[in-house]
Amino acid sequence: MSLYDRYVMPLLIDACCGMKDVQRQRKLLIPRARGRVLEIGIGTGRNLEFYDRDKLESLQGLDPADQMNPKAERRARRAGLNVELITLSAEEIPAADATYDTVVCTFTLCTIPDPVRALKEMRRVLKPGGELLFCEHGRAPEAPVQRWQDRLTPYWKPIAGGCHLNRDVRAMLQDGGFTPREIESTYLKGPKPLVWVTRGVAVAA
């Protein structure tokens, strides 16, 4: 791992993921998590302050980037949460079928090497009636913006932990075996190729 990946990239990602508009999206979604919860791509723990502790039975966070763990651990302590951190990618979740009541995935599908496979794993580990809470940036609906996303993605990926700007969130959910129960897309403040965001709740199709 390069010095950039270990020391600089976590700071960059934490700053981007902590922007006011992004945090507002988290606040609208994360308090709905309940029961046994698995957070995919927990990163530096930007979601942790928004969990409703009274609704949680347990919380695990999955992320392959262990250099993010110290910030996540500090944020868990501040939030009064007991979080088990697992250093793995989401294509193979180390849990039995129907383990979790809620899976949380925010600003993460853009970086997973095989996001559809990861979504199928999320579906597998959800209990019947369990919910996927998601908020992801991705492919915008306008052709000019899409063209910029396609142009920028090869340059953006190396500096942003493998982040793709041009992945179609709704299509990935469908291909991964999910049906949105609630879904909303909008531009946040910022350059359009970076800020088309889709948020919602999905269940197994």
Side-chain angles (χ1 to χ4, degrees), residues 132-144:
L132 170 65
L133 309 183
F134 63 91
C135 186
E136 300 287 341
H137 75 97
R139 194 161 189 84
E142 301 161 315

Side-chain angles (χ1 to χ4, degrees), residues 5-48:
D5 288 340
R6 177 155 292 277
Y7 298 109
V8 179
M9 186 185 66
L11 296 175
L12 173 67
I13 291 175
D14 188 59
C16 291
C17 290
M19 293 188 298
K20 186 178 294 186
D21 273 7
V22 174
Q23 290 296 88
R24 188 175 297 116
Q25 296 296 310
R26 300 181 194 278
K27 188 175 182 179
L28 291 169
L29 185 70
I30 301 305
R32 298 182 59 157
R34 60 177 179 80
R36 297 191 67 183
V37 178
L38 174 66
E39 181 172 337
I40 303 296
I42 192 168
T44 60
R46 281 290 185 180
N47 284 328
L48 293 173

Side-chain angles (χ1 to χ4, degrees), residues 51-116:
Y51 282 101
D52 184 340
R53 286 180 295 172
D54 294 335
K55 293 181 181 178
L56 301 185
E57 182 181 334
S58 65
L59 176 59
Q60 293 176 307
L62 192 72
D63 200 299
D66 62 354
Q67 66 269 38
M68 307 283 193
N69 287 355
K71 279 185 179 293
E73 290 166 349
R74 288 195 293 273
R75 288 188 169 123
R77 287 194 294 271
R78 285 202 296 268
L81 294 171
N82 182 21
V83 183
E84 179 187 357
L85 298 177
I86 304 167
T87 308
L88 289 172
S89 189
E91 290 94 342
E92 293 186 18
I93 297 172
D97 296 357
T99 294
Y100 298 101
D101 300 287
T102 309
V103 172
V104 173
C105 188
T106 62
F107 303 98
T108 296
L109 291 176
C110 59
T111 62
I112 296 175
D114 190 341
V116 172

Side-chain angles (χ1 to χ4, degrees), residues 115-129:
V116 172
R117 181 178 171 190
L119 282 162
K120 289 178 179 178
E121 276 288 273
M122 296 179 217
R123 183 181 186 273
R124 179 184 68 79
V125 300
L126 271 174
K127 294 178 182 179

